[in-house]
Amino acid sequence: MLACSAFAVSPASAQRAYQDIPIVSEGKTIRISPSVYVIPDENRRGVPNVGIVVGSRATLVIDPGMGLKSGQAVMREAAKVSKSTEIYIVTTHLHPEHTTGEVAFPPNAKIIRAVAQQQDIEESGLKWVAEFSKRSPELADLLKEVTGFRAPSETFEREKTLDLGGVRVRLLWLGPGHTPGDTAIFVEGDAVLFSGDLAMKQVFPAFTSAQSRADTWLAGLDAMQALRPTHVVGAHYGMGGASIISAYRDYLKALQVRVAEMKAQGKSSDETASTLRAEFHAKYPDWDQPLRVHMAATATYAQLP
C-alpha cells in the first residue's frame, strides 16, 4: 500500500539539483568542539556533512562521502587532525553519498554498523549505487569503483559505546525512520550529535523506504533529544542546536494529527497528501523539498487504522 517504496520516491523533482560533481571538499574542515570536526556539505546535493571525531587512540569518520574521490578527500582531511593512525568508520544510513567513500580507506580501517543497517546494505546497498549511477555519467564515474560493500568489523543491535582514547562516542540505532538502519552518533563530552537524516535543518524529512514510519521516527527524535546535544549535525544542510530536533518533532506530530483528521473525513490518500503538501509548505515556507510532505503523508495514511 505504501507509495513511498525505496526506489519509487526519488524522482528528480523530489530532489535538489546537482550543482557540480559531488566530491567532498578539501580545506573546508571546521572544528565545532574540542574533539569534533566537520567537513560541511556546502549545501551541495550528493555531499554529506562529514564528521571527524579525534581521540588519542583512534579517529572516527562519520559518513565518508560518495565514491573513491570523496573518500580520499576525507582521509586527507582526517589525517590533518588525527592523533593516531587507527580509524573507525560509522555511517548514518545506507545511501551511497554516506557509505561508498569507504572504498578509499585502508583495509585496517574498522567499520562498525548497526545490524539493521547492515541488513539494509546487504539487501539494497548495490541497488542504490545502481540507481545513483543512472542519474548522470559523472555519478556513474564517481561510483565505478564501488562493486560491493566492505564487511563490518563489528555490528551492534541497538547501542554501542566506542572509546577513541579520552573521547567516548555512543552509536545508537534509531530506525526505521528515513531508512530502517538509521544510526545516530553522539560524542558524549562534547555534546555533539550526528543525527543523519532523522533531524536536519530547514528541510522536510524524507520517508524513503517501505518501513519508514512517523511513530518510530518520533521515538528516535525523543531519544536524541534526551541526549541534550549542544550541537546537532544533520546528514545534509546546515548545523545548529537541539531546536533542529524539536522542529522535526513538531512537524511530524502535526502531520500525524492532520492525516488522521482527513482520513476520518473520508478523504483519499492522494487527496490527503496533496492537501497537506500545500498546507505544510505554507506553514514552513523556509523548509526545502516540500514534495517530501506528500511522501510522509502517504506513508502515515497507510499506517493509520
Side-chain angles (χ1 to χ4, degrees), residues 52-74:
I52 303 170
V53 186
V54 179
S56 62
R57 183 185 66 80
T59 298
L60 171 65
V61 171
I62 301 164
D63 287 353
M66 181 154 53
L68 179 66
K69 291 179 180 178
S70 279
Q72 290 171 334
V74 171

Side-chain angles (χ1 to χ4, degrees), residues 5-20 22 44-47 66 93 95-98 127-143 178 206 208 236 289 292 295:
S5 63
F7 303 107
V9 297
S10 55
S13 60
Q15 304 290 339
R16 290 185 285 178
Y18 286 104
Q19 301 171 349
D20 55 15
R44 296 161 60 208
R45 184 184 178 194
V47 179
M66 181 154 53
H93 58 289
H95 293 152
E97 76 268 35
H98 302 277
K127 293 177 184 177
W128 277 107
V129 170
E131 196 276 331
F132 272 55
S133 296
K134 291 179 204 173
R135 293 178 180 177
S136 73
E138 291 80 11
L139 289 187
D141 184 65
L142 277 185
L143 290 164
H178 176 60
T208 62
H236 305 281
Q289 302 199 55
R292 291 179 172 185
M295 299 150 54

Side-chain angles (χ1 to χ4, degrees), residues 33-204:
S33 73
S35 305
V36 181
Y37 299 80
V38 174
I39 310 174
D41 74 343
E42 302 176 295
N43 202 30
R44 296 161 60 208
R45 184 184 178 194
V47 179
N49 290 313
V50 179
I52 303 170
V53 186
V54 179
S56 62
R57 183 185 66 80
T59 298
L60 171 65
V61 171
I62 301 164
D63 287 353
M66 181 154 53
L68 179 66
K69 291 179 180 178
S70 279
Q72 290 171 334
V74 171
M75 280 187 59
R76 287 190 287 266
E77 290 298 290
K80 295 176 184 178
V81 298
S82 294
K83 299 176 182 178
S84 69
T85 57
E86 188 167 1
I87 299 172
Y88 291 93
I89 302 172
V90 174
T91 49
T92 57
H93 58 289
L94 83 159
H95 293 152
E97 76 268 35
H98 302 277
T99 54
T100 55
E102 69 174 34
V103 298
F105 285 76
N108 62 344
K110 299 178 178 67
I111 296 174
I112 303 177
R113 294 191 189 111
V115 169
Q117 188 179 127
Q118 178 61 25
Q119 183 177 349
D120 263 1
I121 285 172
E122 290 172 0
E123 293 177 353
S124 304
L126 286 177
K127 293 177 184 177
W128 277 107
V129 170
E131 196 276 331
F132 272 55
S133 296
K134 291 179 204 173
R135 293 178 180 177
S136 73
E138 291 80 11
L139 289 187
D141 184 65
L142 277 185
L143 290 164
K144 65 186 178 184
E145 290 88 2
V146 182
T147 58
F149 287 80
R150 288 168 55 169
S153 302
E154 186 177 349
T155 59
F156 64 95
E157 290 286 346
R158 290 197 166 270
E159 181 174 347
K160 176 180 173 59
T161 298
L162 184 62
D163 186 352
L164 302 176
V167 180
R168 285 168 52 90
V169 182
R170 292 174 66 186
L171 315 177
L172 303 102
W173 170 62
L174 298 176
H178 176 60
T179 69
D182 291 325
T183 301
I185 298 95
F186 183 62
V187 186
E188 287 186 337
D190 297 51
V192 176
L193 175 70
F194 289 85
S195 55
D197 276 54
L198 288 174
M200 297 185 291
K201 187 174 183 179
Q202 293 184 322
V203 56
F204 287 102

Side-chain angles (χ1 to χ4, degrees), residues 215-257:
D215 52 1
T216 53
W217 200 315
L218 281 163
L221 291 169
D222 288 342
M224 290 191 292
Q225 190 77 52
L227 297 170
R228 299 181 180 275
T230 301
H231 303 280
V232 176
V233 184
H236 305 281
Y237 295 82
M239 296 174 276
S243 61
I244 292 175
I245 301 171
S246 57
Y248 261 37
R249 182 195 289 115
D250 292 346
Y251 161 71
L252 287 172
K253 284 185 175 179
L255 182 74
Q256 281 184 313
V257 169

Side-chain angles (χ1 to χ4, degrees), residues 269-292:
S269 174
D270 189 61
E271 184 179 2
T272 297
S274 297
T275 299
L276 296 187
R277 175 186 171 189
E279 183 177 307
F280 281 95
H281 185 28
K283 187 175 181 180
Y284 295 89
D286 297 330
W287 283 28
D288 200 7
Q289 302 199 55
L291 182 58
R292 291 179 172 185

